[in-house]
Amino acid sequence: MEVEKILLEEQSLDPEDWGELRRLGHQMVDDMLRHLETVRERPIWQPPTHAAENLKTPLPVEPTPLEDVYAEFQQNILPYPMGNIHPRFWGWVIGTGSPGGVLAEMLAATMNPNCGGGDHAANYVEAQVLDWFKEMFGYSSEASGLLVSGGSMANLLGLAVARNTCAGFDIRKAGARASKGQLLVYCSTETHNSVQKSMEMLGLGSDSLRKIPVDADFRIVSAKLKEAICRDKEEGHRPFCVIGTAGTVNTGAIDDLTDLADICEAHDLWFHVDGAFGAIAAILPEFKEQLAGMDRADSLAFDLHKWLYVPFEAGCILIKDPKIHREAFAVIPDYLMHHERGIAGGPYYFSNLGIELSRGFKSLKAWFMLKEHGIRKYEVLVRQNIAQAAYLADLVNEQPELELLAPVPLNIVCYRFVAEGVAPEKLDELNKEILMELHERAIAAPSFTVIDGKYAIRVAITNHRSRKEDFEALVEATVTLGRELAPQFVVSHDTQNLTG
Ligand SMILES: *Cc1c(COP(=O)(O)O)cnc(C)c1O
């Protein structure tokens, strides 16, 4: 290697012509804002066939002008969205993002700090955002927390802190196998599957997750929970944590969190709340009662990218006791020692509060959006989504061919089309077909689940762009499609004879 020669021709990734890049950058900003402004006019979704075909290329060796790369983006990527920024997207629980969030993402990428630690403004932004969340959820300002990629990671960290704190021995060192009794966690059958993944990741095993039955409103049955804890204790196991859900993923049910907090207190258990989207309803005074007890959680997981409409990804874990949080993860090697001054100084390192060392500047988009809109505006939007769910439930109830499959306590509506002559077991297939047609005809994008053994079309509203008429259109389209498709699912006696 000719060092001399290389150093004479030093290069970088910066452009030779900043003026040209600036023009293209302005063009991109214009195009993207226009894209957001006109999102309602475009189809919500289309199969990404061109994307799948055209994106396949060998590893690029020679450079391509940025303009050409952008043209490819516009041709092969941009026209095939997931659909979630569209006003008629209500699938799974997926937020819409916001124009302010888009711009903040660019600013964060420009500064490009590593928020694992160090004395720089980004870490103070994260601390500020965490303080706002503590205030929102009635946590003391002393509490600890961390921004993470989403609710799954937040649940994992909450359970990791619970495990490390409550094992009764140094489980970080000795591992779960050193436990005298089986370490057990309790939740309801409606709890999100990220909790199970966490149990597996933490070496506790999914067998150690006790799934307690729910009542007709899909809320955990406290009496059964108490019974299970007592029985397990008698058998020599080690219960250490109860998970309550504020807003279950299937139906939006909110567990009786006061009850759960009392049970945890009585049995000296860690109380974790998964409030991925539902916790956000705590900003509404009318949900004070339903969410009572959430502020008693030792750890609270929630998402920013769902009901705070922050662009992907961003979630948060709050831990009530800051000392416990620090002790759960800190491992400080020589190369990460905290210094008194310089860039290695500053506040406690966020990387010691979780498992990721390098961390992006997630807090900036949240900081921007919370400032730009203020919590008042969030109250209006969250309340609007809940009212839209109630309105949709009413529309479903008014339609004899539609059946509401679960109560609607929050922002989720589960329903299905029912037709005379379609056998119960065929109704699942019919409704699945309706759902796929809703997507493929680009009418609307609900998702699905199974409620009491029945396939449900499921609408989860964390969308600030939806309007009343969008839900009217959904109901109308479901009925129209149901009538159109039902004959295919009527099993006539003749065909039964043929196939049987
Ligand atoms: C979405 C969700 C999660 C997982 O959060 P991600 O941000 O998708 O990782 C966990 N629990 C509930 C109740 C959820 O709705």
Side-chain angles (χ1 to χ4, degrees):
M1 190 172 61
E2 299 167 68
V3 172
E4 203 88 330
K5 184 166 173 283
I6 291 172
L7 296 188
L8 274 174
E9 294 165 12
E10 285 173 327
Q11 308 194 7
S12 92
L13 296 178
D14 287 336
E16 269 164 34
D17 183 347
W18 280 96
E20 203 178 298
L21 182 66
R22 190 169 285 121
R23 275 189 298 280
L24 182 60
H26 287 174
Q27 184 65 49
M28 286 179 180
V29 170
D30 274 350
D31 292 349
M32 290 307 104
L33 294 182
R34 177 102 194 115
H35 184 80
L36 289 177
E37 190 182 2
T38 55
V39 61
R40 182 177 276 280
E41 297 157 24
R42 281 187 304 278
I44 182 167
W45 179 83
Q46 55 180 329
T49 38
H50 288 293
E53 283 165 25
N54 296 347
L55 288 174
K56 275 207 176 98
T57 65
L59 176 68
V61 177
E62 297 304 327
T64 309
L66 193 58
E67 236 179 299
D68 297 354
V69 180
Y70 179 53
E72 238 186 88
F73 164 78
Q74 285 181 303
Q75 198 189 335
N76 295 331
I77 302 173
L78 190 60
Y80 308 103
M82 181 180 207
N84 57 304
I85 67 171
H86 193 280
R88 288 196 190 164
F89 188 98
W90 311 294
W92 302 275
V93 189
I94 299 189
T96 32
S98 81
V102 170
L103 298 176
E105 284 279 63
M106 186 182 71
L107 308 186
T110 303
M111 285 188 75
N112 194 35
N114 186 328
C115 298
D119 203 14
H120 51 97
N123 288 329
Y124 294 92
V125 175
E126 180 157 348
Q128 173 62 79
V129 168
L130 290 168
D131 278 345
W132 288 339
F133 289 142
K134 293 175 211 168
E135 200 179 321
M136 261 167 73
F137 297 122
Y139 267 45
S140 121
S141 60
E142 298 303 310
S144 184
L146 187 72
L147 293 187
V148 292
S149 56
S152 304
M153 185 56 95
N155 280 331
L156 174 64
L157 292 193
L159 285 180
V161 177
R163 186 198 73 151
N164 294 357
T165 308
C166 305
F169 63 99
D170 189 353
I171 195 169
R172 288 183 65 187
K173 188 156 180 288
R177 75 199 145 85
S179 180
K180 295 248 160 48
Q182 193 179 352
L183 291 162
L184 297 176
V185 176
Y186 301 79
C187 65
S188 87
T189 49
E190 290 292 299
T191 304
H192 193 265
N193 80 327
S194 57
V195 165
Q196 182 174 331
K197 286 193 200 168
S198 300
M199 293 294 288
E200 293 164 3
M201 288 283 298
L202 290 166
L204 300 171
S206 50
D207 275 355
S208 298
L209 184 63
R210 297 280 200 251
K211 293 187 179 164
I212 307 297
V214 292
D215 61 19
D217 290 327
F218 300 95
R219 305 166 84 208
I220 192 167
V221 179
S222 303
K224 295 227 162 116
L225 171 64
K226 275 189 259 188
E227 262 172 48
I229 293 171
C230 292
R231 194 175 50 241
D232 284 331
K233 277 185 163 176
E234 273 167 30
E235 288 175 11
H237 300 311
R238 284 196 58 111
F240 74 94
C241 173
V242 172
I243 301 170
T245 302
T248 60
V249 64
N250 273 339
T251 70
I254 301 171
D255 286 335
D256 188 330
L257 303 174
T258 299
D259 247 13
L260 298 188
D262 287 344
I263 293 172
C264 286
E265 223 166 81
H267 290 271
D268 197 21
L269 306 175
W270 185 275
F271 182 30
H272 175 79
V273 171
D274 178 359
F277 61 96
I280 307 302
I283 64 175
L284 301 178
E286 63 268 32
F287 272 82
K288 206 173 162 52
E289 208 171 307
Q290 287 188 65
L291 288 168
M294 193 169 81
D295 55 345
R296 290 169 63 192
D298 295 298
S299 51
L300 170 63
F302 60 95
D303 270 312
L304 282 58
H305 56 214
K306 289 178 176 173
W307 225 354
L308 288 174
Y309 317 106
V310 169
F312 284 100
E313 313 159 330
C316 183
I317 180 75
L318 290 180
I319 307 277
K320 189 158 265 175
D321 185 332
K323 187 165 167 285
I324 279 179
H325 192 186
R326 288 179 186 207
E327 285 169 358
F329 294 111
V331 183
I332 305 181
D334 296 343
Y335 47 85
L336 292 176
M337 267 188 310
H338 191 265
H339 285 33
E340 294 76 30
R341 301 194 324 278
I343 299 172
Y348 192 76
Y349 287 8
F350 283 117
S351 56
N352 288 333
L353 297 174
I355 52 185
E356 290 159 314
L357 172 57
S358 293
R359 307 174 62 250
F361 195 2
K362 287 187 196 31
S363 59
L364 192 68
K365 53 194 171 188
W367 185 84
F368 256 84
M369 285 183 65
L370 286 165
K371 276 194 176 276
E372 180 191 1
H373 302 296
I375 211 70
R376 284 280 163 277
K377 181 64 177 269
Y378 273 105
E379 278 175 31
V380 169
L381 293 174
V382 170
R383 188 177 284 132
Q384 175 175 304
N385 284 162
I386 295 168
Q388 286 165 337
Y391 179 63
L392 174 59
D394 284 346
L395 292 179
V396 165
N397 280 329
E398 282 163 16
Q399 269 291 344
E401 290 156 288
L402 298 183
E403 180 188 2
L404 197 65
L405 291 175
V408 182
L410 209 55
N411 59 335
I412 297 181
V413 182
C414 292
Y415 72 97
R416 66 173 181 171
F417 181 84
V418 283
E420 255 177 60
V422 179
E425 65 275 12
K426 287 276 168 191
L427 278 178
D428 289 354
E429 283 173 46
L430 169 58
N431 278 280
K432 185 176 169 193
E433 193 59 33
I434 293 172
L435 182 87
M436 293 189 290
E437 288 292 325
L438 284 169
H439 291 179
E440 289 188 332
R441 296 188 199 189
I443 297 168
S447 62
F448 49 85
T449 191
V450 176
I451 303 282
D452 294 330
K454 298 168 189 152
Y455 185 96
I457 296 173
R458 175 179 162 287
V459 176
I461 313 167
T462 50
N463 189 326
H464 60 84
R465 298 197 171 102
S466 304
R467 296 188 205 134
K468 183 170 168 273
E469 54 268 30
D470 293 315
F471 302 97
E472 292 162 358
L474 171 68
V475 165
E476 204 184 298
T478 311
V479 172
T480 308
L481 280 168
R483 286 178 190 162
E484 180 189 319
L485 298 167
Q488 299 171 30
F489 295 87
V490 176
V491 183
S492 77
H493 292 290
D494 292 348
T495 42
Q496 254 176 356
N497 287 340
L498 278 175
T499 53

